[in-house]
Amino acid sequence: MQYEPIIIQFSVPNKEVAETIGKTLLNEKLIACLHISSEISSLYHWEGKIEQSNEYVVQVKTFSIFWSAIETKILELHPYSVPEIIAIPIRDISHYYYVWMIQEIIEKGNK
């Protein structure tokens, strides 16, 4: 494969933030699509305590060459000082889905 497909996952405090970040990434042709989870409960260490909050998980489908630009954009738009942003390599992918991703991101936007 010429381009390495990845899923970038991050959590946000509410659906509005998820949609704002997602639409920005779509408009800038950095991602092919995104999924926003239903509300989840998160527990984590923060400033010496265990915290609990409700969040949404966002998964975006893209290519590894856009990791840096996507991370920068998420950090710019995200309200957390230290948001979770992780990339997961896609080991196998449908040929048709891969071609669609190429068409949406590479051919229509980021040549």
Side-chain angles (χ1 to χ4, degrees), residues 24-31 66 104-105 108-110:
T24 300
L25 297 174
L26 284 167
N27 287 332
E28 293 186 14
K29 291 292 187 183
L30 293 170
I31 64 172
F66 300 120
E104 291 304 312
I105 302 173
K108 292 181 182 175
N110 291 290

Side-chain angles (χ1 to χ4, degrees), residues 51-80:
E51 297 286 338
Q52 183 171 1
S53 63
N54 292 328
E55 297 181 299
Y56 291 80
V57 174
V58 181
Q59 290 186 333
V60 302
K61 281 61 168 201
T62 190
F63 297 108
S64 61
I65 59 170
F66 300 120
W67 160 259
S68 181
I70 292 169
E71 180 191 28
T72 298
K73 188 57 67 174
I74 293 170
L75 290 170
E76 176 185 310
L77 299 172
H78 207 292
Y80 294 169

Side-chain angles (χ1 to χ4, degrees), residues 2-70:
Q2 182 179 3
Y3 297 99
E4 178 189 1
I6 61 172
I7 295 171
I8 296 176
Q9 178 176 297
F10 55 97
S11 56
V12 294
N14 58 57
K15 197 169 183 179
E16 293 75 26
V17 171
E19 290 173 352
T20 297
I21 293 172
K23 287 177 182 176
T24 300
L25 297 174
L26 284 167
N27 287 332
E28 293 186 14
K29 291 292 187 183
L30 293 170
I31 64 172
C33 68
L34 71 142
H35 294 118
I36 301 170
S37 73
S38 299
E39 191 173 57
I40 62 166
S41 181
S42 296
L43 287 94
Y44 49 92
H45 287 278
W46 185 250
E47 297 180 347
K49 297 186 299 186
I50 294 178
E51 297 286 338
Q52 183 171 1
S53 63
N54 292 328
E55 297 181 299
Y56 291 80
V57 174
V58 181
Q59 290 186 333
V60 302
K61 281 61 168 201
T62 190
F63 297 108
S64 61
I65 59 170
F66 300 120
W67 160 259
S68 181
I70 292 169

Side-chain angles (χ1 to χ4, degrees), residues 1 32 63 93-107:
M1 278 184 241
F63 297 108
I93 187 169
S94 160
H95 169 76
Y96 302 105
Y97 192 81
Y98 180 78
V99 168
W100 173 76
M101 287 178 64
I102 293 286
Q103 291 170 344
E104 291 304 312
I105 302 173
I106 305 299
E107 294 176 2

